[in-house]
Amino acid sequence: MGKIKLSNIKVYAYHGCLREESIIGSDYSVDVELVADLTKASISDDLEDTVDYVLINHIVKEEMAIKSKLLEHVAKRILDRIFDSCGSVSKAEVRVSKINPPINGDVEMVSINLQLTR
């Protein structure tokens, strides 16, 4: 087994419960950690034997482009797409962070984490 991590994928998106958030948008950061059997890829040196992190980045950007009220909903969609697209992934964790959330306080970011195991 092995892990593949994509850290700090930066996205501008339009998520939130406030009407203004869906109009103005804000900055987000997404982290993805995947567990998969990387043994074959470590021997073959073939992209088809591993999890293509270009595909993972693409999935994150596509799902972040779909407006949602809750970050939990966005994270679940990302996880579902990863499991649908990558059969070798046995476990995945996604963290979605909203940078400078509009919560009347000095808060750098708010994050949610979701995990899914096959």
Side-chain angles (χ1 to χ4, degrees), residues 3 7 12 24 30 42-43 53-54 56 72 85 102 110 118:
K3 290 184 180 180
S7 301
Y12 197 86
I24 298 169
V30 180
S42 70
I43 296 166
Y53 50 80
V54 173
I56 302 302
E72 294 86 342
S85 302
V110 61
R118 192 182 304 267

Side-chain angles (χ1 to χ4, degrees), residues 1-2 34-37 51 83 86-92 116-118:
M1 284 299 175
L34 309 171
V35 175
D37 186 351
V51 178
F83 275 78
C86 306
S88 65
V89 173
S90 59
K91 183 177 180 182
L116 189 60
T117 301
R118 192 182 304 267

Side-chain angles (χ1 to χ4, degrees), residues 42-117:
S42 70
I43 296 166
S44 72
D45 196 28
D46 190 339
L47 180 61
E48 298 210 5
D49 294 332
T50 192
V51 178
D52 184 354
Y53 50 80
V54 173
L55 173 62
I56 302 302
N57 184 58
H58 180 74
I59 289 170
V60 167
K61 290 187 174 183
E62 280 191 348
E63 293 303 326
M64 288 296 291
I66 301 169
K67 290 183 184 181
S68 296
K69 292 179 186 173
L70 301 178
L71 300 181
E72 294 86 342
H73 186 69
V74 179
K76 177 68 165 78
R77 286 198 321 263
I78 292 169
L79 286 169
D80 289 344
R81 285 271 310 273
I82 289 170
F83 275 78
D84 287 345
S85 302
C86 306
S88 65
V89 173
S90 59
K91 183 177 180 182
E93 181 174 351
V94 172
R95 172 183 291 138
V96 180
S97 301
K98 182 182 286 191
I99 312 300
N100 296 319
I103 58 174
N104 294 326
D106 187 11
V107 177
E108 180 181 351
M109 72 177 77
V110 61
S111 303
I112 64 94
N113 284 36
L114 282 184
Q115 292 182 355
L116 189 60
T117 301

